[in-house]
């Protein structure tokens, strides 16, 4: 039962990582849209959200790395 919980927990982290990747890609596309259409407010908003998701992704990767180290 414990192994199943760990497996599900890891899948949650994988899906969260996929969500963060998609969010960063959308942010980059939004920044591009803002620059091409001279909508600099969009650039600032998408830059802030992209930075937030990159920060969250780094935190998640550090947590996964620590979890793997503790497993061994």
């Amino acid at each position: 039962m414990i192994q199943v919980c760990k497996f599900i927990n890891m899948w949650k982290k994988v899906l969260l990582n996929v969500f963060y990747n998609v969010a960063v890609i959308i942010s980059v596309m939004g920044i591009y849209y803002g620059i091409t259409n001279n909508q600099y407010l969009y650039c600032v908003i998408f830059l802030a959200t992209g930075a937030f998701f990159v920060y969250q992704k780094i935190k998640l990767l550090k947590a996964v790395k620590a979890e793997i180290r503790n497993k061994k």
Side-chain angles (χ1 to χ4, degrees):
M1 183 66 176
I2 294 174
Q3 298 239 344
V4 172
C5 291
K6 287 182 182 178
F7 180 73
I8 291 173
N9 190 23
M10 191 58 73
W11 268 105
K12 286 181 186 177
K13 290 181 180 180
V14 168
L15 290 176
L16 192 58
N17 190 26
V18 169
F19 171 72
Y20 289 157
N21 286 335
V22 170
V24 169
I25 290 169
I26 290 172
S27 294
V28 169
M29 290 170 52
I31 292 169
Y32 177 75
Y33 170 80
I35 290 172
T36 56
N37 293 319
N38 294 327
Q39 298 290 328
Y40 298 111
L41 180 61
Y42 290 163
C43 293
V44 172
I45 291 170
F46 281 114
L47 185 64
T49 57
F52 171 76
F53 284 120
V54 167
Y55 173 73
Q56 291 296 325
K57 183 175 170 66
I58 290 170
K59 278 182 40 177
L60 179 68
L61 291 176
K62 285 183 179 180
V64 169
K65 188 185 248 186
E67 186 176 323
I68 290 172
R69 281 188 187 153
N70 290 336
K71 190 183 247 186
K72 289 182 181 181

